[in-house]
């Protein structure tokens, strides 16, 4: 029991976030060309909005859930999604009952919940499988603005810096603060102290991060980053490693076939939400 309690800690959460950001678990999509992974994600991000058939949405949800398992999404992100999905489902039932709705109201809310859940699962499967460099190169190859691809890559790389800076600031507050003599009923004083420390740590965290960001940007500009990112020869050299093979094409073809099968299943067993 002690081992299980120690497993879920601040350090474990930090490591899980880093594994998620840097795609260290591998999985089905991790070895694929980032351009095709982005295309795969866009299919499931757009298609659910073109149907009100709950059968189709349930099939798409199942496909994305299988992709999440094959992509080896970490327990932290997956657990947060499950908690949110369960809470959202209970909210649907409560809202329908509280406002005197009938089965039509429930189906309309279920339809929206399935759409958002499908897109969330697709997001997890895709972006957990892409490290910062692959995602940045994929966006640049698709002719996204150079600053956008750089911002995505830099944002990912700033994650461990932000976490380390946050720990430093919070530890400084804890060292300067006197320990609580009485935690109060159910430890409410400890909760208030923790919340106050988190709020007070925000401004030093942003200030220190801004200083590091300015130093990094100045170093990049000194090395000619903007010119290299916008010049055709620089883009060609940077993206020369991107190679699509037959498995990348099979990924998109298989995805389209599964989407078509989902719509065919919806035609055979239709179940509509609030809009018909």
């Amino acid at each position: 029991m002690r081992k299980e309690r120690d497993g879920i800690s601040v350090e474990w959460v930090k490591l899980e976030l880093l594994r998620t950001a840097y795609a260290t678990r591998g999985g089905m999509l991790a070895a694929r060309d980032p351009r095709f992974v982005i295309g795969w994600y866009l299919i499931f991000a757009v298609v659910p909005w073109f149907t009100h058939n709950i059968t189709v949405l349930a099939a798409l949800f199942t496909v994305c859930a299988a992709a999440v398992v094959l992509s080896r999404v970490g327990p932290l992100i997956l657990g947060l999604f499950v908690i949110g999905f369960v809470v959202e489902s209970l909210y649907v039932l409560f809202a329908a009952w509280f406002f005197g709705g009938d089965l039509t109201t429930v189906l309309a809310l279920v339809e929206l919940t399935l759409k958002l859940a499908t897109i969330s699962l697709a997001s997890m499967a895709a972006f957990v499988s892409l490290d910062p460099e692959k995602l940045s190169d994929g966006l640049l190859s698709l002719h996204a603005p150079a600053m956008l691809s750089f911002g995505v890559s830099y944002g990912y790389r700033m994650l461990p810096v932000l976490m380390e800076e946050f720990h430093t600031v919070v530890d400084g507050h804890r060292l300067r603060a006197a320990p609580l003599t009485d935690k109060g009923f159910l430890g409410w004083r400890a909760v208030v102290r923790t919340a106050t420390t988190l709020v007070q740590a925000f401004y030093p965290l942003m200030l220190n991060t801004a200083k590091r960001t300015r130093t990094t940007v100045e170093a990049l500009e000194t090395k000619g980053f903007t010119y290299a990112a916008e010049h055709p020869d620089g883009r060609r050299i940077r993206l020369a490693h991107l190679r699509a093979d037959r498995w990348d094409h099979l990924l998109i073809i298989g995805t389209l076939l599964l989407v078509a099968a989902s719509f065919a299943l919806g035609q055979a067993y239709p179940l509509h939400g609030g809009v018909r």
Side-chain angles (χ1 to χ4, degrees):
M1 186 66 180
R2 176 67 179 174
K3 184 177 180 180
E4 293 179 358
R5 287 199 301 267
D6 289 343
I8 302 177
S9 61
V10 175
E11 189 67 24
W12 177 82
V13 172
K14 183 170 74 172
L15 292 176
E16 280 297 312
L17 289 175
L18 293 177
R19 292 191 190 104
T20 299
Y22 288 91
T24 57
R25 284 192 170 90
M28 178 187 69
L29 300 176
R32 303 277 61 84
D33 188 288
R35 296 168 293 182
F36 286 81
V37 177
I38 295 173
W40 178 90
Y41 162 71
L42 290 176
I43 292 174
F44 288 103
V46 173
V47 168
W49 300 107
F50 289 97
T51 180
H52 299 286
N53 193 324
I54 294 180
T55 304
V56 176
L57 294 173
L60 294 175
F61 176 85
T62 303
V63 172
C64 289
V68 166
V69 175
L70 295 175
S71 299
R72 302 177 184 176
V73 176
L76 175 63
I77 303 300
L78 191 58
L80 292 175
F81 169 79
V82 171
I83 293 173
F85 184 71
V86 171
V87 171
E88 182 70 16
S89 300
L90 294 176
Y91 159 75
V92 166
L93 296 176
F94 174 77
W97 167 79
F98 183 78
F99 293 103
D102 54 8
L103 182 60
T104 304
T105 306
V106 174
L107 291 178
L109 294 173
V110 168
E111 174 194 330
L112 178 60
T113 301
L114 281 175
K115 288 181 179 180
L116 297 177
T118 300
I119 297 172
S120 298
L121 288 174
S123 302
M124 285 191 291
F127 294 107
V128 163
S129 302
L130 295 174
D131 60 42
E133 285 300 324
K134 292 178 66 176
L135 180 56
S136 176
D137 290 346
L139 292 173
L140 192 63
S141 178
L142 295 174
H143 300 284
M147 288 298 101
L148 174 62
S149 61
F150 167 72
V152 171
S153 176
Y154 187 70
Y156 271 92
R157 294 189 179 281
M158 283 299 295
L159 179 62
V161 176
L162 281 172
M163 298 176 67
E164 191 66 31
E165 194 67 40
F166 175 76
H167 273 283
T168 300
V169 175
V170 171
D171 288 343
H173 277 279
R174 294 176 61 186
L175 287 172
R176 290 191 298 268
L180 292 173
T181 57
D182 182 16
K183 294 184 177 181
F185 180 69
L186 296 179
W188 70 270
R189 286 193 175 90
V191 174
V192 172
R193 167 72 70 83
T194 302
T196 304
T197 301
L198 294 178
V199 173
Q200 292 175 345
F202 176 78
Y203 288 104
L205 173 65
M206 292 297 101
L207 179 61
N208 294 341
T209 304
K211 292 180 180 178
R212 295 196 183 196
T213 302
R214 180 176 179 178
T215 302
T216 303
V217 170
E218 290 175 350
L220 288 171
E221 289 302 324
T222 302
K223 296 178 180 180
F225 171 81
T226 301
Y227 177 79
E230 296 178 352
H231 196 276
D233 291 336
R235 292 168 62 98
R236 177 177 54 81
I237 294 172
R238 177 177 175 179
L239 303 177
H241 67 94
L242 294 179
R243 290 289 185 275
D245 55 22
R246 60 173 183 171
W247 296 108
D248 295 313
H249 295 92
L250 287 175
L251 172 66
I252 299 300
I253 294 173
T255 300
L256 294 176
L257 290 175
L258 289 173
V259 171
S262 300
F263 277 89
L265 183 65
Q267 289 292 329
Y269 303 98
L271 179 61
H272 295 280
V275 178
R276 303 193 177 198

